[in-house]
Amino acid sequence: MDYQKLSGKDLLKIATLGELKVSGYQPKSIKEELRQNLIHKLRNKENVFEGIWGYEDTVIPDIERAILSRHNINLLGLRGQAKTRIARLMTQLLDEYIPVVAGAELNDDPMNPISTFSREMIASKGDHTPISWWHRNDRYTEKLATPDVSVADLIGDVDPIKAATMKLSYNDERVIHYGLVPRSHRSIFVINELPDLQARIQVALFNILQEGDIQIRGFKLRLPLDIQFVFTANPEDYTNRGSIVTPLKDRIESQIITHYPKSIEIGKRITKQEAKLDGRPISKIHVPELMKDLIEQIAVEARKSEYVDEKSGVSARLTISAYENLISAAERRIYMNHEENTVVRVADLIGIIPAITGKVELVYEGEQEGAGLVAYTLIGKAVRSLFTDYFPSPEQKKKEKEPNTYILPLSWFGDGNSLDILASQSDKEYKTSLHQVPGLEDIITGTLKNLHDKEKEFFMEFALHGLAEYSQLSKKLLDTGLQFKDLFSSMFDMGAPSEDDFDEDDI
């Protein structure tokens, strides 16, 4: 019988140690298990880390090299860079099932037991020792490092209640209550935010990482634990809250640095994958590709903003939450106006401000400006950044001798007219409002080729936002939307909102 060729269904039929021996099973360490399965996937050109985008040429090769080297791993990066997701996906590199001694607290390998319980059972029952099968999804333990984590939590401690109940002496190994680490024998063990772990607790991991054994309350235990350790850490934690003690860093063989998406296209792919839109009327809501780009560009602007703490980072969760809010803004409008479908509007970006304010750490200047105003500013910068990808630069057009593309709409606003774009107004009212601006539709149809019929008004509004960001128009935040006016007629109200405008009830 060839153990390697047995299916999961066949393995589950093996119930005793004797049957396991007949199958040809040979023990192997978890690091060797990960290594062999990775080699198999690489040879078959299988995607090892499904759903992880943007790391194909950077982070993932480093992780694969670490696994091939049988290393423990520290994933170092800012928040929202898929560190924990990567650790969880490593379970897919484990065998589907592995045998354990039935009832063993430490998940002992029947052919290589380490606990007293398993050794005594095998000595007593021999080949009739019952075994059970452990699925790879259960071979993953995760612990968030917090200041209250103790050595007893991770390693274990003497249990006086167990000693009294079983009438055992404190010298008996059976009085030990094992912690998370020993119970993760033959598993992947993840400690998130490692620097938050107190230094004295980190010291307790030294022996486990180097020698593979543990010490509990003076017991001279030799438990050769077989564990794949994965740690995650935020470089900002090193200065704000704690640090990884040097001897522990020295024992973690591979430190891999993660990063944010390097392009808007990768960001959009991540947002699409992660946004929770189940049960939403997506088929009734049209989202122009430009709007998806704007959502990602807001995160790009936040990561380089002078108001946002660069060291803290801007999580990919910002764009995910923002996209969900964007869809909700359009969905709300459908219900309010009893419409069958709608197209998202640039003005709907006001509705994503709550998704931004809670996900950016502001520096002192940002706190002075206020979170709402900073979020509003980031939206404006995103519009400005992408505007010239679709339309001529208003600043450049002013310098050229040729007629200004934007002269007609600017003149209309210059005559004292204003335009209100309200979040809840029906599609019919929205279109009527935009089409009253002379020359605006001609700018869109004359500049953009192969324009989708549904997106004409969206780009007309986008043009107004772009002109406002290039200081050609005034844009003012209203309680329920936005108002565009001539810049010079509103010199005393330039349209930049104050923090008071961002009342929680309004947003």
Side-chain angles (χ1 to χ4, degrees), residues 374-440:
V374 169
Y376 183 79
T377 302
L378 293 174
I379 292 171
K381 287 186 174 183
V383 170
R384 181 184 173 97
S385 294
L386 297 184
F387 184 73
T388 52
D389 291 347
Y390 294 86
F391 299 104
S393 168
E395 293 176 343
Q396 190 65 33
K397 279 295 179 185
K398 287 180 69 176
K399 297 176 183 178
E400 294 176 355
K401 294 180 180 180
E402 297 177 7
N404 189 340
T405 308
Y406 309 106
I407 189 65
L408 283 177
L410 292 177
S411 298
W412 184 79
F413 284 106
D415 291 338
N417 296 298
S418 64
L419 177 68
D420 293 351
I421 302 293
L422 305 179
S424 59
Q425 68 186 153
S426 67
D427 279 0
K428 183 178 179 179
E429 294 170 331
Y430 173 70
K431 292 177 181 179
T432 301
S433 297
L434 288 167
H435 282 281
Q436 68 178 311
V437 182
L440 187 56

